[in-house]
Amino acid sequence: MNSYVEWVTQNPLVSAAIQFGILGTLGEAVSVSLRRKTPALPGTIFQTCAKILAWALLGIIIKYGFTGMRGFARALIDHELLPQFVSDGVPWAFAVSTLTNIFFGPQMMFFHRLEDNLIAWKWETKGLTTAWFTLLWFWIPAHTVTFSLPVEYQVGLAAVWSLVLGLIMGLSRK
């Protein structure tokens, strides 16, 4: 674990890109494979490589977003716009998660949809409302756990959550 923490600490953007590039794309592959009931890539080989890069870029954006939203939550507490009891522990994690998923999540998901549309050479927003709904039932609880951990593990766990959501979505689709 020490080498992981050192790697993430010394290479915050590169580590975020690699973790999301691998795990986010794997989540899509798992979802597609479960729907088709056979192992499958999330598109052609070119599209899959493009998705790896798209997820990597998303990882970098998420790293910046997580850092900014922690600062945003702290500023709200400092200016008494959030109660003092949310400044530590699970209440802190829940506050940061909720703020992240309300103020950062929708735009990030829209950007991810834009990436997917560019990769597929189409414009489709079908399912975007469903994706936004996951902010409430999946991402707020998941990121409450995420923000309960030390900072060095947060982006890595968020990337794992992308894989978990791919599994859930793949199992839930007919």
Side-chain angles (χ1 to χ4, degrees), residues 76-121:
L76 292 176
I77 293 167
D78 291 348
H79 288 89
E80 299 179 359
L81 295 170
L82 282 178
Q84 192 63 38
F85 78 86
V86 303
S87 64
D88 197 22
V90 174
W92 164 257
F94 179 73
V96 177
S97 178
T98 301
L99 292 168
T100 298
N101 287 291
I102 290 173
F103 290 107
F104 178 72
Q107 295 87 341
M108 189 271 312
M109 286 184 163
F110 183 81
F111 178 74
H112 187 49
R113 178 56 57 92
L114 178 63
E115 288 179 317
D116 283 345
N117 284 331
L118 289 170
I119 291 166
W121 289 89

Side-chain angles (χ1 to χ4, degrees), residues 42-169:
T44 66
I45 192 72
F46 171 78
Q47 289 171 323
T48 300
C49 289
K51 284 179 178 282
I52 292 168
L53 294 174
W55 275 105
L57 177 58
L58 208 59
I60 292 168
I61 292 168
I62 288 167
K63 176 61 180 173
Y64 277 107
F66 277 17
T67 302
M69 294 311 289
R70 284 192 306 271
F72 177 54
R74 182 64 52 211
L76 292 176
I77 293 167
D78 291 348
H79 288 89
E80 299 179 359
L81 295 170
L82 282 178
Q84 192 63 38
F85 78 86
V86 303
S87 64
D88 197 22
V90 174
W92 164 257
F94 179 73
V96 177
S97 178
T98 301
L99 292 168
T100 298
N101 287 291
I102 290 173
F103 290 107
F104 178 72
Q107 295 87 341
M108 189 271 312
M109 286 184 163
F110 183 81
F111 178 74
H112 187 49
R113 178 56 57 92
L114 178 63
E115 288 179 317
D116 283 345
N117 284 331
L118 289 170
I119 291 166
W121 289 89
K122 66 178 179 178
W123 179 252
E124 183 177 294
T125 58
K126 181 181 175 192
L128 192 54
T129 302
T130 303
W132 283 333
F133 190 63
T134 67
L135 293 167
L136 301 175
W137 68 264
F138 181 79
W139 288 112
I140 288 176
H143 282 148
T144 298
V145 173
T146 301
F147 290 116
S148 295
L149 296 176
V151 173
E152 299 83 13
Y153 297 100
Q154 291 176 4
V155 169
L157 182 56
V160 171
W161 288 131
S162 296
L163 173 61
V164 170
L165 185 59
L167 177 64
I168 292 169
M169 299 306 276

